[in-house]
């Protein structure tokens, strides 16, 4: 399929462990977003990548969270020393140019993270 | 900075009854507005959006939303709901010229047979 894919779909980890979440955006989409969806909290913006520009990291909740995007395509969200409050569904979305605002975001199915 | 308020976390409604899901926003600049829908066990997908022009926008499945600049609202309505409309609905705002989108906390629409 040509949609946004994320892996793994589910991840169970122990408190204190590091986790990596992967996102493959739609081919040709230069903008990529990470969100966190917690019960009753809606979608919380984490980070935004646009082409080769510096990412907007203003939503990352702590320095335990980081993300990178290699080759302008695949992105990895890393959470170090996981805490129980990190348990949530992590969503990735991508959108296409012209990127003047108003573009539709296409979401992946999410990664459900459970920290024990 | 911008924000989105969806006051109703859950809205139960009987099948074939009308429904309105409320969305209010605040922004210091002009905005684009969106409604996204998340069906059970599925990802988010765009339902409709307002960019410019007519303030009334419609989706293919009978929903419509009207941009009201004076009241800073973008309420979602449907005159007659179906069981298949059961989902969570998210309002979102995007300042003109920027790509960052702010989402509301979502409204769960439960259609009762």
């Amino acid at each position: 399929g040509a949609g946004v894919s994320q892996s793994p779909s589910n991840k169970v980890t122990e408190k204190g462990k590091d986790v990596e979440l992967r996102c493959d955006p739609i081919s040709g989409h230069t903008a990529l977003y990470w969100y966190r969806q917690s019960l009753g909290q809606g979608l919380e913006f984490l980070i935004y990548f646009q082409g080769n520009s510096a990412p907007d990291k203003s939503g990352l909740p702590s320095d335990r969270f980081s993300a990178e995007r290699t080759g302008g395509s695949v992105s990895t969200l890393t959470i170090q020393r996981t805490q129980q409050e990190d348990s949530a569904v992590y969503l990735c979305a991508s959108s296409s140019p012209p990127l003047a605002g108003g573009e539709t975001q296409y979401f992946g199915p999410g990664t459900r993270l459970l920290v024990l | 900075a911008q924000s989105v308020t969806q006051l109703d976390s859950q809205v139960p409604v009987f099948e074939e009854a009308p429904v309105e899901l409320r969305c209010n926003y605040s922004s210091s600049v002009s905005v684009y507005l969106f409604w996204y829908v998340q069906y059970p066990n599925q990802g988010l997908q765009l339902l409709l959006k307002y960019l410019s022009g007519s303030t009334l926008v419609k989706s293919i499945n009978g929903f419509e939303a009207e941009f009201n600049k004076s009241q800073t609202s973008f309420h979602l309505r449907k005159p007659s709901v179906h069981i298949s409309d059961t989902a969570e609905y998210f309002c979102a705002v995007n300042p003109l010229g920027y790509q960052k989108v702010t989402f509301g906390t979502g409204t769960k629409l439960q259609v009762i047979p």
Side-chain angles (χ1 to χ4, degrees):
Chain A
V4 177
S5 61
Q6 292 186 247
S7 61
S9 54
N10 291 280
K11 178 70 176 179
V12 181
T13 190
E14 294 179 349
K15 178 181 174 181
K17 299 284 188 182
D18 298 351
V19 295
E20 285 190 352
L21 312 180
R22 177 187 169 103
C23 172
D24 282 271
I26 293 173
S27 178
H29 281 194
T30 57
L32 187 147
Y33 309 77
W34 282 98
Y35 297 93
R36 180 167 67 177
Q37 186 176 20
S38 306
L39 193 63
Q41 299 296 317
L43 270 72
E44 177 187 4
F45 166 80
L46 297 177
I47 188 169
Y48 159 65
F49 294 91
Q50 164 38 31
N52 296 320
S53 302
D56 178 350
K57 304 179 181 180
S58 60
L60 294 177
S62 76
D63 58 6
R64 296 187 296 106
F65 288 73
S66 63
E68 63 177 20
R69 189 177 185 189
T70 55
S73 180
V74 172
S75 178
T76 302
L77 176 69
T78 301
I79 309 174
Q80 296 178 310
R81 305 181 302 282
T82 53
Q83 304 294 312
Q84 289 181 331
E85 59 263 30
D86 299 334
S87 297
V89 177
Y90 289 82
L91 295 172
C92 176
S94 68
S95 61
S96 62
L99 301 175
E103 291 79 24
T104 298
Q105 292 190 25
Y106 295 85
F107 284 82
T111 293
R112 189 175 299 275
L113 175 65
L114 177 61
V115 182
L116 301 177
Chain B
Q2 63 279 345
S3 65
V4 179
T5 301
Q6 292 182 251
L7 287 174
D8 304 310
S9 60
Q10 294 189 59
V11 174
V13 63
F14 286 105
E15 193 174 16
E16 298 184 4
V19 69
E20 178 180 83
L21 307 183
R22 296 179 293 169
C23 172
N24 288 87
Y25 70 92
S26 67
S27 176
S28 56
V29 300
S30 297
V31 297
Y32 300 118
L33 294 157
F34 305 79
W35 278 99
Y36 283 83
V37 59
Q38 187 174 30
Y39 297 104
N41 301 314
Q42 294 187 30
L44 273 83
Q45 56 187 281
L46 180 72
L47 183 62
L48 50 75
K49 64 181 178 181
Y50 169 77
L51 301 182
S52 64
S54 172
T55 57
L56 183 66
V57 290
K58 300 183 179 183
S59 72
I60 59 173
N61 60 349
F63 281 93
E64 63 181 35
E66 185 159 21
F67 169 52
N68 188 319
K69 188 175 182 179
S70 63
Q71 298 186 3
T72 59
S73 68
F74 191 56
H75 301 330
L76 183 69
R77 302 182 180 94
K78 188 170 185 179
S80 176
V81 295
H82 301 287
I83 293 291
S84 59
D85 294 325
T86 295
E88 190 161 16
Y89 293 80
F90 293 90
C91 183
V93 62
N94 174 198
L96 267 65
Y98 296 90
Q99 288 77 51
K100 185 176 175 180
V101 176
T102 300
F103 285 83
T105 52
T107 298
K108 290 184 179 179
L109 173 64
Q110 182 184 4
V111 180
I112 305 165

